[in-house]
Each structure stands twice: as structure tokens, then as C-alpha cells.
Amino acid sequence: MTLKRSWIDSANSAETDFPLNNLPYGVFSVPGKVPCCGVAIGDAIFDVATAEASGLITLQGGPYLQHGTWNPLMAAGPVVWADLRAQLTTLLAADNADTDTLQNLLVQQADAQLHIPFTVAEYTDFYASKDHATNVGTMFRGAENALPPNWLSIPIGYNGRASSVVVSGTDVTRPYGQLKAPDADLPHFGPCARFDIELELGAIVGTPSQGMQSVDAADAMIFGYVLLNDWSARDIQAWEYQPLGPFQAKATATTISPWIVTAEALQDFRAPAPQRSRPLLPYLRESGPMLYDIDLSVGMTPKGGAETIIARTNANQMYYSAAQQLCHHTTSGCAMRTGDLLGSGTISGPEKDMRGSLLELSWGGKDPLTLSGAEQRSFIEDGDTMTLYGAALGAGFRVGFGACTGTLLPAKPLPDWATT
Amino acid sequence: MTLKRSWIDSANSAETDFPLNNLPYGVFSVPGKVPCCGVAIGDAIFDVATAEASGLITLQGGPYLQHGTWNPLMAAGPVVWADLRAQLTTLLAADNADTDTLQNLLVQQADAQLHIPFTVAEYTDFYASKDHATNVGTMFRGAENALPPNWLSIPIGYNGRASSVVVSGTDVTRPYGQLKAPDADLPHFGPCARFDIELELGAIVGTPSQGMQSVDAADAMIFGYVLLNDWSARDIQAWEYQPLGPFQAKATATTISPWIVTAEALQDFRAPAPQRSRPLLPYLRESGPMLYDIDLSVGMTPKGGAETIIARTNANQMYYSAAQQLCHHTTSGCAMRTGDLLGSGTISGPEKDMRGSLLELSWGGKDPLTLSGAEQRSFIEDGDTMTLYGAALGAGFRVGFGACTGTLLPAKPLPDWATT
């Protein structure tokens, strides 16, 4: 786990998210051009679409990189994934003597716009942090019923809305919904007053499947990971979620980081699962460490103000791995498809400042946060920008995701038909 | 509401689901040919793909019918939908004197295989029958907590799994899952023992939307309807559904009828909503009757046995219309896309034989059904075939969906890794 050096100087910095060790995949455009596939390297993006079209990269069964989305490559399977990574590593390594042609395929990230890196087939959200489930359960159902009876046996999940998934940098508009005050008899329709984030890791299915898959097989199906902010309307959720689960509370937006960090890039950062409070059923047992040691944090920036880091946690706090979640997802015979996105669920840790949502950080609004500019926050206010950060830390380098950010815009005016 | 006569004799029968009044859309193939778009008419299918390709049908902005799926036409919007229906009505009407060319575009349904008629973007399932919600709530939570507090205010829904949707005639394999017996401390992993159907109507979004839509606007977005069987593993559901809703219990299969009956074909069969037990919030109020008067029934056929009709109900038993459900679905800003499928939820009625699931019909297994061959059933046994039927009834004609059927195959052998 040492830095692999590149001929692109900015990739050799200890501060960049994108050294040669990483090589994450995104989709970028420059003014006047269509979006195309690229790889982040230091401050630059390497245009792999052109590299493939010009024969600098050749992949069995390709071309795969000509459609402005990574889905064709994702569907090609692990052998092709490894081959592309190996070719990119060779092309961009410091010992490559023939870089003149390659120089022309570099675009500065500052000059590019980033787009959603893959087409989301379906989106599933899980509930894999024991601390998060305990915190939320305590607030919603009381301490004695905090952790549902099934939680220690099932990687609990529910289907989310793929059409809600947007790339980092997309503004989010405060939603409307049905709200019922605790002391009211009946609900009203109005703007959400408790809009929140959820700090998650998203796993992306590459290889499709039919039928039940083991944890190991499921792990091999995962192409890579993104940071994921599952924006959540807590007041809408509280009124709607019984008995069939969250619905409109989670459908406003789900922001993902612009770069897919491949499973291969994260292999050196595997971490073991925590001790099991109850033995897992055989089908869910792991053959090895399947979590990842990825530092995660949340920044909150009021409009015109400075950013405060309000939480720091780690992906190794998950109780169930993405591989276990995906295995469980297939038990019913559910077909999985290239581009399926699996959110980890909010990743909280045992300490107060390790909580991955404002609901937990402000304990339902009872204990507001104080930001660096002295503003107080229980939930997100109009104009606030919320940013997730994540990186696996090597010796003198980091394998990062880039920022996963979004700004909350005020609710739109309510149309007449909704009020009269 | 009288029969429109066609030059295709079988379409003029009072028994056919497919008179000229209907003109439902499907995708069919004959041996050696790729699947293509067709319209059911009597015992035949009219090959609209060839009709469009040869200029017998011309549509503004087309061609739309050349891809073996109805999505391109669905995305074209109501003006094009109405134009296609008008052209088909003219071509297939009894007073068309020039039918020689058209005869060559007819295929007998008996000679064709039917395929899924559209690509499902996302699948949402609702809970719109008050009798069903009351029955299930009584069994799961007791009579005093049967109807959740939000039920009379919100068209409750949850996201389902689009990859589970299959066309009528597809076999369904009994799923595995985590099961916990009421008297057991811990769950085990095994085949579902309480596999069930849900009799539903599926609404298909044609026109996409961004942002909140009124009930009227939502109604205009709906391209058509299918019968929908939301196969359900009740024992998996009972253990998994708290707190985030049904997940693997609903992911094995969702069968839809092969023919999309267009919203336009159903306009003469509009039915009013029931009296409201609690006034709806303004955004959910209807400007007119938005339900449909569609007779629905469920047939159960043991392997090698005769079919018994075990339930008869009507789509006018829904408390919320598909338009209200779709409107609610957009309140959070959720984007809707061409091909989104909205299940109504099980449509039960107030009488015992109007219940749209075996869970209700056998009251959780306490009151088994007796079929015509004297077999008893609480839930579905291996080899049983379950079939949904539906038709709106005119004077001497019916606008039907064709059968929505599936046979339950035994669970596959459990792999070693899942047991040890």
C-alpha cells in the first residue's frame, strides 16, 4: 500500500483523491462536446473514450467506452474490468516513456463538467449500521424497541427510486408532502421542515444475475462504489412509513459522487465485519473481510458561510457488507441487473460525532448543532450545501471519491390546485 | 357503449376480450421472427409494426413501432396515442372496403407467442383497497389497529422491483427466504410456505414528468392498464417488513397481462370513487370519476385439475384511483418516466368472495378454500396455476385484458453454501 507514481505530477500528491492507485471512472464533458467516459488522475481526467477509439486501449469484446456511460463496460465482467485497469495503469505510470500522444487526451478537471457516470437500473437502500438503526429506532419507537427483532438476522433493505439519483453538484429542491404534527389530529400538505441527509456508500452491480447468489458470488458482481447521499424528508417519513416503508420521503433526490471507485482499487483496504451479536444464518456468512476501511465525513456550509465538518465516521462501521446485502437481495430469485445501485444505509458510529444524519446529530432537533459561523442547525435550511467526503488512506496516498455535494433550494410556490 | 363491428368476424363476438372497441397493445412473435408490436382483434393479432413500416399507418414524429416494445409510442404522448387508435379503428372497422392488404398482416393468436409489451422503467405498488388493507391489517396487527392512521389520507405505496415483472405465461419458482415461526426464537432459511397472489390493476405511465403533477395531469400521463399479479411470500413478508416495508417477499415475480388496454378504450367505463371516510387533502381531490368499472376474477387450477374461480371483484372497489396514486407519487418532486408501472394494490371488496388474495380468502390459513375437485387450499401449492381475468362490460361486448396467468414450480434445491 504505497503510492504508485504517475507521469502526471498532480497524481503523486498525498492530498489528491486520484493517484494512480485509484483510477476511478466518471463521465465528463467540455464545452461544445458530448459527455464521454474518463478516468480521474490527479487534477486531470484521462479521456478513455478517445483512447479506446484510437486503439490506445483495446478490450476483448469491445468497444465499451463510446456511449457516455460506464454500463457497457460494467456488463462486460471482471476479466475485462481487470484488463482495462491494467492497461490504464501501464499508460499512466511514471515509467511510461511514450506519453506525447497521451498528453493530448488529458483534460483539466477544472475545465470539465461531470455527469452521472452510469445509468441506474434500480436503486435499493439498506440499513446496515447498527448504531444508525439503534439511534433512529430509539427516536421513532423508543429505546426498548430501538433495534427491530429482525435486524440482527436480515440485512434490512427496501426499494428506492432510481429516477431520484443525480450526480454531485445537482441542486436539490425542498419537497412538499403530507405532514402531521404530533399534536394534530389530521395531516396537512406543505413543505418539508425536517430535510436531512444520509451518509452512505453505494455499491454498483456490474455483472447481472438470475437466481440466488452466495456472498462470494455477490461480491464478485460488484463493479465499484460511490459516495451516496440519500436525502430524507424526516417529517414526511414519520407520517407515511407505516406499514409499507419510506416512499416519498426518499424520492426527492439521491446524490452520488461523480467518480466510481472500482472494487479492485479498494482491495487493499478490506476490513473485517464487527463481532456478531447473533450468529448469522449460513447463507450470509463471509469467507473473509468484506467491509472496507474508508474514512467518511460530512461538511455543512450555510449560504455565504464557511464549511463545518459535522461528522466523521468510517465504512468499516457497517454491520452487513454490500456483498451480504446483495446476496440477501437475490434470495427470493430477484434478478439483478447491470447498473443496480445498492445504498449501504446511513453509516453511523458509536460516538456522537460519528453520526451520518442530522436526525441523529441533532437528536431529532432536541440538540442543535453549532456551525463554525455560530449558526445553529437541527435540519437543513434553504441555501445550505451538504457535502460528503470519502477516502481509503494508504501510506502517503489516498483513494478518494471526490466530493458528493448538493445545495438545498427553497420549495417552489405551491400550485393553486394543491391548496383549494 | 355498443359493439363497434370489425371485418374480422371473431372480433364481433360477445365473448371475445378484443372487439374493435378495445384494440389493446402487445408484443408477439411467430416462430423464426423477432418480437414485434401488435394489436389484438378477435382471435387475431394485427401486425402494426409491418403496417407502420409499409405506410398503412403513419404517425407524426414516427416511426414508433419498430422496436418490439411500446415504449417509443408511449413516450410520444396523448395526441399520437389518439391518432394511432383512430387509424386502427378505421383500418379494422367493418365498413373498410379495402382489406386485402390488411388480411396479410393478421396472425392468429394461437400461432403466436406473447412477450412483455413494454420495458418497465420502475415499479411502484400501492395499497388502494380499503377492504384489503383492513383485512390484512386485522391479521397482521389486530382489528383495533387494522387500518393504519395515515391510510385514509395517503395513497400508501412503496417501491417494488422492476426486474421482477414478467409477462403472463411465465412460470414462477417458489422462493427461499428468512422465515420465523411465531413460536420460534430465531429465523431459519427455507422455502416459502405461504406463497400467495395479489389481484391488481397496473397503470402504465406514458408521458414522463418532472415535479408535482395534479390528479388531472397525472390521469393524462397514463397510457393504459394491465392486469397485475403481485406474487407475495407471506411468511417472508411477516418477518422482514418492519420497519422499512416489504422487500424480498415481493421480488420473486410480478406477472402482467400480455395486452395493454389503453386509457382511451376504458373512458366509457369510468366509475366514481367511494364515499370518503375522511375528506381528502385538496391536492388529491378528483375533478370527476377516475376509477373504472372493470370486472375482475381469480382462477386457481391444481396440476391436472379443473379451474375454480375463487374470487370475483371489481376495480371500482379502489379507494384511490391510479391518477391519485400517481399525483401523490410526484409530490416529493419524484421524476416519473415512460414505462413506470403502478400497481393498484390488491383489489378486494366487502364480501368474502371478493377478496383478491389467498391470505384474505383463507384468512391466513384458518379457513381453507375447497376447490371444485375437492382439494383444499390455504396458499399456493407446487404445480398450481393462478390466473387473473378482467374485462369492462359493454352492451353485448367486453373490453378485456386476456388472461394473466402463471404456474408455481417447486423451489430449486438449496445450494450447499446456504446450509452449512
Side-chain angles (χ1 to χ4, degrees):
Chain A
M1 287 211 282
T2 56
L3 176 71
K4 296 181 189 170
R5 297 190 69 84
S6 170
W7 52 265
I8 297 151
D9 284 342
S10 60
N12 301 324
S13 155
E15 276 76 50
T16 184
D17 271 356
F18 311 121
L20 187 61
N21 307 60
N22 191 348
L23 298 176
Y25 300 148
V27 171
F28 74 101
S29 66
V30 291
K33 296 282 182 68
V34 295
C36 73
C37 293
V39 174
I41 179 79
D43 296 339
I45 302 169
F46 180 65
D47 175 353
V48 290
T50 303
E52 188 194 45
S54 62
L56 287 166
I57 291 171
T58 52
L59 296 166
Q60 180 91 38
Y64 295 109
L65 309 173
Q66 305 304 310
H67 296 285
T69 178
W70 284 87
N71 294 60
L73 190 277
M74 287 157 53
V79 173
V80 175
W81 307 344
D83 188 20
L84 174 59
R85 184 170 168 82
Q87 292 187 42
L88 287 169
T89 301
T90 303
L91 288 172
L92 300 176
D95 60 4
N96 185 355
D98 184 18
T99 63
D100 288 356
T101 318
L102 303 178
Q103 288 278 9
N104 296 329
L105 299 183
L106 292 180
V107 172
Q108 287 302 299
Q109 285 172 33
D111 299 334
Q113 184 185 348
L114 296 175
H115 304 269
I116 196 155
F118 69 105
T119 302
V120 180
E122 299 194 60
Y123 166 46
T124 309
D125 198 30
F126 287 87
Y127 199 46
S129 156
K130 192 175 172 187
D131 290 300
H132 171 72
T134 304
N135 289 338
V136 173
T138 302
M139 281 182 270
F140 275 47
R141 291 177 295 274
E144 63 285 2
N145 297 310
L147 212 55
N150 53 18
W151 198 92
L152 293 171
S153 298
I154 303 183
I156 293 281
Y158 67 101
N159 299 298
R161 180 79 193 171
S163 72
S164 75
V165 181
V166 296
V167 73
S168 176
T170 306
D171 290 336
V172 175
T173 302
R174 183 182 295 277
Y176 284 92
Q178 282 200 26
L179 313 166
K180 195 183 83 63
D183 58 350
D185 286 338
L186 291 172
H188 69 281
F189 190 73
C192 167
R194 292 161 74 95
F195 202 62
D196 197 359
I197 57 144
E198 294 200 330
L199 167 62
E200 305 193 19
L201 201 62
I204 302 165
V205 173
T207 318
S209 70
Q210 293 278 347
M212 209 190 319
Q213 305 298 316
S214 68
V215 172
D216 283 348
D219 190 59
M221 289 165 60
I222 297 173
F223 177 70
Y225 293 84
V226 285
L227 299 178
L228 187 151
N229 179 358
D230 185 38
W231 302 88
S232 299
R234 299 299 180 193
D235 39 8
I236 296 172
Q237 185 176 355
W239 172 234
E240 78 172 359
Y241 91 107
Q242 288 288 9
L244 301 183
F247 181 46
Q248 290 306 286
K250 302 283 192 166
T252 301
T254 308
T255 303
I256 61 172
S257 59
W259 299 106
I260 305 171
V261 176
T262 63
E264 205 173 343
L266 291 168
Q267 285 318 297
D268 287 339
F269 303 96
R270 289 281 196 177
Q275 192 166 5
R276 302 300 175 186
S277 313
R278 178 192 296 170
L280 294 179
L281 287 168
Y283 82 98
L284 283 173
R285 291 182 192 152
E286 311 100 324
S287 60
M290 293 229 174
L291 296 180
Y292 294 103
D293 181 356
I294 300 171
D295 274 7
L296 301 167
S297 59
V298 181
M300 186 167 197
T301 313
K303 190 173 184 178
E307 181 172 65
T308 303
I309 299 297
I310 59 173
R312 295 177 194 276
T313 181
N314 192 295
N316 64 18
Q317 295 297 315
M318 291 168 65
Y319 192 85
Y320 296 105
S321 64
Q324 289 172 314
Q325 293 169 333
L326 178 52
C327 161
H328 180 72
H329 208 324
T330 67
T331 48
S332 64
C334 183
M336 303 304 299
R337 300 188 289 197
T338 299
D340 281 339
L341 173 64
L342 278 60
S344 60
T346 308
I347 304 174
S348 295
E351 305 303 323
K352 191 177 168 185
D353 61 355
M354 294 176 75
R355 296 171 179 169
S357 67
L358 287 163
L359 177 70
E360 296 165 87
L361 288 162
S362 75
W363 207 253
K366 290 182 181 151
D367 186 11
L369 298 173
T370 303
L371 305 184
S372 62
E375 300 93 337
Q376 299 235 314
R377 287 290 186 278
S378 291
F379 292 96
I380 310 173
E381 299 194 3
D382 293 344
D384 288 351
T385 297
M386 305 300 302
T387 307
L388 312 185
Y389 303 96
L393 303 184
F397 73 98
R398 41 192 288 132
V399 170
F401 291 80
C404 175
T405 192
T407 299
L408 183 65
L409 304 184
K412 292 184 179 165
L414 195 59
D416 285 346
W417 54 259
T419 55
T420 51
Chain B
M1 287 211 280
T2 54
L3 175 72
K4 297 182 190 170
R5 299 190 68 83
S6 169
W7 51 265
I8 297 151
D9 285 342
S10 61
N12 301 325
S13 154
E15 277 76 49
T16 184
D17 270 357
F18 311 121
L20 187 61
N21 306 60
N22 191 348
L23 298 176
Y25 300 148
V27 171
F28 74 101
S29 66
V30 291
K33 296 283 182 67
V34 296
C36 74
C37 293
V39 173
I41 181 79
D43 296 339
I45 301 169
F46 180 65
D47 175 353
V48 290
T50 304
E52 188 193 43
S54 61
L56 286 166
I57 292 171
T58 53
L59 296 166
Q60 180 90 37
Y64 295 109
L65 309 174
Q66 304 304 311
H67 298 285
T69 178
W70 284 87
N71 293 61
L73 190 277
M74 286 156 53
V79 173
V80 176
W81 306 344
D83 188 20
L84 174 60
R85 183 171 167 83
Q87 292 187 41
L88 287 169
T89 302
T90 302
L91 287 172
L92 300 175
D95 60 4
N96 185 353
D98 183 20
T99 63
D100 289 357
T101 319
L102 304 178
Q103 288 277 7
N104 297 328
L105 300 183
L106 292 181
V107 171
Q108 287 302 299
Q109 286 173 32
D111 299 334
Q113 183 184 349
L114 297 175
H115 304 270
I116 196 155
F118 69 105
T119 302
V120 180
E122 298 194 60
Y123 166 45
T124 309
D125 198 31
F126 286 87
Y127 199 45
S129 155
K130 192 175 172 187
D131 290 299
H132 171 71
T134 303
N135 288 338
V136 172
T138 301
M139 281 183 271
F140 275 47
R141 291 177 295 274
E144 62 287 1
N145 297 311
L147 211 56
N150 53 18
W151 199 92
L152 294 171
S153 297
I154 302 183
I156 294 281
Y158 66 101
N159 298 298
R161 181 78 192 172
S163 73
S164 75
V165 181
V166 296
V167 73
S168 175
T170 307
D171 290 337
V172 175
T173 302
R174 183 183 294 278
Y176 284 92
Q178 281 200 26
L179 313 166
K180 195 183 83 61
D183 57 350
D185 286 338
L186 291 172
H188 68 283
F189 190 73
C192 167
R194 293 161 72 97
F195 202 61
D196 197 359
I197 57 145
E198 293 199 330
L199 166 62
E200 305 194 17
L201 200 63
I204 302 164
V205 173
T207 317
S209 70
Q210 293 278 347
M212 208 191 318
Q213 306 298 316
S214 68
V215 172
D216 283 347
D219 190 59
M221 290 166 60
I222 298 173
F223 177 69
Y225 293 84
V226 285
L227 299 179
L228 187 151
N229 179 357
D230 185 38
W231 303 88
S232 299
R234 300 298 180 192
D235 38 9
I236 296 172
Q237 185 177 354
W239 171 234
E240 79 172 359
Y241 91 107
Q242 288 289 8
L244 301 184
F247 182 45
Q248 290 305 286
K250 302 284 193 166
T252 301
T254 308
T255 304
I256 61 171
S257 59
W259 299 106
I260 304 170
V261 176
T262 62
E264 205 174 343
L266 291 168
Q267 285 318 297
D268 287 339
F269 303 95
R270 288 282 196 178
Q275 191 165 6
R276 303 298 175 187
S277 312
R278 179 192 296 169
L280 294 179
L281 287 167
Y283 81 97
L284 283 174
R285 292 182 192 153
E286 312 100 324
S287 61
M290 292 228 175
L291 297 180
Y292 293 103
D293 181 356
I294 300 172
D295 274 6
L296 301 167
S297 59
V298 180
M300 186 167 199
T301 312
K303 190 173 183 177
E307 180 173 65
T308 304
I309 299 298
I310 59 173
R312 295 176 193 277
T313 180
N314 193 295
N316 64 18
Q317 296 296 316
M318 292 168 64
Y319 192 85
Y320 296 105
S321 65
Q324 288 172 315
Q325 293 170 333
L326 179 52
C327 161
H328 181 72
H329 207 324
T330 68
T331 49
S332 64
C334 183
M336 304 304 300
R337 301 188 289 197
T338 299
D340 282 339
L341 174 63
L342 278 61
S344 59
T346 308
I347 303 173
S348 297
E351 304 303 324
K352 192 176 170 186
D353 62 355
M354 293 175 76
R355 296 171 180 169
S357 68
L358 287 163
L359 178 69
E360 295 165 87
L361 288 162
S362 74
W363 205 254
K366 291 182 181 150
D367 187 11
L369 297 174
T370 302
L371 305 183
S372 62
E375 301 93 337
Q376 299 235 314
R377 287 291 185 278
S378 290
F379 291 96
I380 309 173
E381 298 194 3
D382 293 346
D384 288 350
T385 297
M386 305 300 301
T387 307
L388 313 184
Y389 303 96
L393 303 184
F397 73 97
R398 41 193 286 135
V399 171
F401 291 79
C404 175
T405 191
T407 299
L408 183 65
L409 304 183
K412 293 184 179 164
L414 195 59
D416 285 347
W417 54 258
T419 55
T420 52

